[in-house]
């Protein structure tokens, strides 16, 4: 988006002091969502898009957690052109040093260090007295400031912290060199009125509060993450920590697209501005959904499939007369085009490329060629290829771009007379292998064939099938979640053949588990 510092809001210009810093933690807090892990290459792709769309701060990971996390933060720091790159760190000094090493190549690097301050966290998690915690705040911020000029300090479980102690910690952190103070609603407990009052109180009571930017970080356990984030702005905060699609721990975080479009759409009551190019929101949503295999719910605000859909006759009538009768923002403003091209086996590459662009995808030449080949194959098997079909095949291609295990062929014998049998051919690390297996049904036989070809011990936590579109030739979209040693991964795949989709989803999940094993360092401490 263009700079709107002089744009009128309720008759008054929006000043630089009302510029909201967008801090995206999709790659850190978002990836901590069970099953939402990303590969090294996927993290780089997401970070590049976040930088392009105007995110101010990208929290790229938790460097001490694993070698893989450290390397991805370091590489994102090297490649990012505009955004500040932040790494998360506990109050431990070796955590801070490791974080500093990861962000040192960034054009602008930030160390984000945190420490619990609520009575319940200090007593049971830290097992420390308040005076010891206060000393740790000073020591950790001082250590971080010796490495970088941009230091953020967070009071974990800040909304359940006693106000007097919170003010003491904030004052000490700023005095030690913190330039951003984050008071997170770590467990999604607070309400908008409480959160607004909390920021107003802390800012008024802490004598050096004018030396730092205050930040919100809200979880959605009670469904109020976005509302609380906006309330924090009213209380004086000027940084919002959020994630694409709202992914994150437990019920997730405040959704970046919702926060940004609330500010954009309701400037009359939210007199702030961000630097986000809102036309890239849908594209970002689709990418994060694809690499995490977490589907976006149809009725999700801003980026859901039904966000600009109208089925009610009354609504349709109103829309035909004037779009503003039932739409408070335009689809184009978030990167959704109303243009609809019917795609089929006669559609050419140019039409396919244009279709992808209108749907929010921008693929490189190799990825485009691969997607077009799979589109033509699908078009030969279906009469009409819907947008949802194209979305499914492109997402699948993005997720499988770096797989070590690939499905070559599958044939299944099924019916009322068992046992059912699957014959499968896989490419595993460049070698082609074939196996037959029986099972209690065709899906079980398919999965048993995979286990025979790639021996493993994992638990199948979820197997789910639904149709991507309508009709008997609709693609089946299969979701699979596998769990191994407490680590869960989720994968999706779509194909007109349900069994092929099932095999693809299971194999993609295995590939993700393999990446986790490669990147995790069991000797590293994980906060």
């Amino acid at each position: 988006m263009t700079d709107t510092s002089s744009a009128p809001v309720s008759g008054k210009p929006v000043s630089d002091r009302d510029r909201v810093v967008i801090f995206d933690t999709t790659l850190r807090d978002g990836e901590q969502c069970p099953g939402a892990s990303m590969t090294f290459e996927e993290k780089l792709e997401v970070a590049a898009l976040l930088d392009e769309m105007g995110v101010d701060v990208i929290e790229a990971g938790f460097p001490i957690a694993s070698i893989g996390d450290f390397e991805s933060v370091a590489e994102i720091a090297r490649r990012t052109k505009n955004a500040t790159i932040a790494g998360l760190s506990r109050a431990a000094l070796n955590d801070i040093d490791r974080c500093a090493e990861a962000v040192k190549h960034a054009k602008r690097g930030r160390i984000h260090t945190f420490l619990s301050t609520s009575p319940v966290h200090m007593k049971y998690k830290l097992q420390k007295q308040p005076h010891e915690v206060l000393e740790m705040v000073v020591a950790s911020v001082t250590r971080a400031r010796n490495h970088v000029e941009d230091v953020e300090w967070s009071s974990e479980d800040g909304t359940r912290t006693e106000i007097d102690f919170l003010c003491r910690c904030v004052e000490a952190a700023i005095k030690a060199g913190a330039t951003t103070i984050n008071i997170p609603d770590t467990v999604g407990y607070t309400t908008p009125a409480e959160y607004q009052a909390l920021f107003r109180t802390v800012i008024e009571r802490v004598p050096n509060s004018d030396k730092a930017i205050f930040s919100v970080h809200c979880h959605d356990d009670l469904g109020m993450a976005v509302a609380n984030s906006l309330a924090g702005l009213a209380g004086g905060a000027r940084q919002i920590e959020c994630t694409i699609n709202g992914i994150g721990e437990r019920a997730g975080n405040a959704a970046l697209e919702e926060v940004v479009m609330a500010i954009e759409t309701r400037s009359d009551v939210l007199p702030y501005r961000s630097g986000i190019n809102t036309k890239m929101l849908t594209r970002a949503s689709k990418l994060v959904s694809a690499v995490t295999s977490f589907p976006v719910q149809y009725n999700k605000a801003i980026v859901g499939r039904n966000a600009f859909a109208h089925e009610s006759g009354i609504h349709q009538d109103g829309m035909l007369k004037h779009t503003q009768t039932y739409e408070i923002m335009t689809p184009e403003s978030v990167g959704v085009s109303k243009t609809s091209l019917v795609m089929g086996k006669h559609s050419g590459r140019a039409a396919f490329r244009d279709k992808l662009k209108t749907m929010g995808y921008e693929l490189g030449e190799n990825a485009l060629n691969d997607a077009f080949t799979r589109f033509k194959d699908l078009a030969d098997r279906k009469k009409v290829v819907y947008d949802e079909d194209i979305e499914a095949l492109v997402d699948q291609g993005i997720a499988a771009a770096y797989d070590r295990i690939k499905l070559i062929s599958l044939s299944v014998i099924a019916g009322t007379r068992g046992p059912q049998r699957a014959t499968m051919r896989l490419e595993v690390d460049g070698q082609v292998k074939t196996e037959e297996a029986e099972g209690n049904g065709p899906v079980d036989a398919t999965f048993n064939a995979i286990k025979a070809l790639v021996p493993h011990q994992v638990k199948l936590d979820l197997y789910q099938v639904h149709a991507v579109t309508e009709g008997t030739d609709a693609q089946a979209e299969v979701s699979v979640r596998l769990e191994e040693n407490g680590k869960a991964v989720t994968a999706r795949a779509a194909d007109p053949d349900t069994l092929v989709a099932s095999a693809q989803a299971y194999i993609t999940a295995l590939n993700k588990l393999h990446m986790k094993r490669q990147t995790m360092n069991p000797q590293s401490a994980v906060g």
Side-chain angles (χ1 to χ4, degrees), residues 18 54 89 95 136 146 151 161 197 204 212-213 268 277 281 287 300 303 305-307 358 363 421 469 496-497 521 525:
D18 290 320
S89 164
D95 276 41
M136 291 175 68
N146 286 337
V151 175
T161 298
E204 288 176 353
I213 293 173
D268 55 330
N277 180 349
L281 291 174
L287 176 61
K300 166 79 169 64
V303 293
R305 185 182 297 176
N306 292 347
T358 63
L363 304 182
R421 175 174 289 274
T469 56
D497 188 317
N521 178 2

Side-chain angles (χ1 to χ4, degrees), residues 202-521:
V202 171
I203 291 171
E204 288 176 353
R205 287 182 51 177
V206 172
N208 55 0
S209 63
D210 61 322
K211 300 293 192 298
I213 293 173
F214 281 77
S215 176
V216 300
H217 180 117
C218 299
H219 282 265
D220 209 32
D221 297 72
L222 293 176
M224 292 187 282
V226 171
N228 285 334
S229 297
L230 297 173
L233 295 183
R238 286 299 179 269
Q239 175 176 282
I240 293 181
E241 304 190 6
C242 45
T243 61
I244 300 295
N245 296 335
I247 65 170
E249 295 271 16
R250 303 182 311 280
N253 292 60
L256 181 150
E257 61 277 2
E258 294 178 27
V259 165
V260 168
M261 288 311 295
I263 293 172
E264 185 81 5
T265 306
R266 292 305 313 273
S267 58
D268 55 330
V269 292
L270 298 169
Y272 317 110
R273 65 185 180 91
S274 77
I276 298 296
N277 180 349
T278 63
K279 292 182 180 180
M280 297 181 68
L281 291 174
T282 296
R283 181 178 159 198
S285 170
K286 290 179 184 297
L287 176 61
V288 170
S289 177
V291 300
T292 59
S293 295
F294 269 48
V296 177
Q297 67 192 67
Y298 287 3
N299 63 330
K300 166 79 169 64
I302 314 301
V303 293
R305 185 182 297 176
N306 292 347
F308 297 97
H310 306 273
E311 186 169 334
S312 159
I314 295 173
H315 284 215
Q316 289 176 345
D317 179 66
M319 286 294 296
L320 290 171
K321 291 172 179 173
H322 199 290
T323 57
Q324 289 185 7
T325 53
Y326 288 104
E327 285 186 353
I328 59 172
M329 66 194 91
T330 66
E332 293 86 353
S333 68
V334 298
V336 176
S337 174
K338 291 187 288 187
T339 303
S340 180
L341 294 178
V342 178
M343 303 298 291
K345 63 181 181 179
H346 299 298
S347 299
R349 188 183 304 272
F352 183 68
R353 185 197 298 271
D354 187 71
K355 183 64 170 179
L356 290 181
K357 191 172 182 180
T358 63
M359 292 174 65
Y361 293 103
E362 289 192 21
L363 304 182
E365 199 61 33
N366 290 339
L368 176 67
N369 291 337
D370 177 64
F372 183 67
T373 299
R374 287 183 291 113
F375 159 72
K376 295 294 277 188
D377 178 62
L378 179 63
D380 282 336
R381 301 159 71 186
K382 290 194 65 179
K383 294 179 181 178
V384 178
V385 179
Y386 296 92
D387 286 4
E388 292 85 355
D389 292 316
I390 297 173
E391 186 175 300
L393 73 85
V394 172
D395 287 351
Q396 186 173 318
I398 292 172
Y402 303 99
D403 287 352
R404 63 178 286 260
I405 308 168
K406 297 179 180 179
L407 177 65
I408 296 177
S409 66
L410 170 68
S411 60
V412 180
I413 299 174
T416 56
R417 298 180 62 183
Q420 286 71 35
R421 175 174 289 274
T423 303
M424 179 177 291
R425 179 174 293 179
L426 296 182
E427 180 185 313
V428 183
D429 293 328
Q431 290 188 329
V432 177
K433 302 178 180 181
T434 304
E435 187 63 67
E436 289 188 1
E438 294 182 348
N440 184 22
V443 174
D444 188 46
T446 299
F447 288 177
N448 286 341
I450 297 173
K451 292 174 184 176
L453 287 163
V454 188
H456 60 274
Q457 295 293 327
V458 299
K459 180 184 176 184
L460 178 63
D461 278 346
L462 171 74
Y463 172 75
Q464 195 172 64
V465 183
H466 78 269
V468 172
T469 56
E470 58 190 23
T472 56
D473 65 348
Q475 286 198 96
E477 184 173 74
V478 176
S479 297
V480 166
R481 183 164 64 240
L482 300 181
E483 187 267 331
E484 180 184 57
N485 300 326
K487 298 293 183 182
V489 296
T490 304
R492 288 183 296 164
D495 193 273
D497 188 317
T498 305
L499 297 176
V500 172
S502 301
Q504 290 280 22
Y506 195 103
I507 290 167
T508 300
L510 281 182
N511 281 309
K512 287 191 172 188
L513 278 176
H514 174 71
M515 290 301 299
K516 269 187 174 291
R517 294 190 209 104
Q518 275 195 326
T519 56
M520 288 301 295
N521 178 2

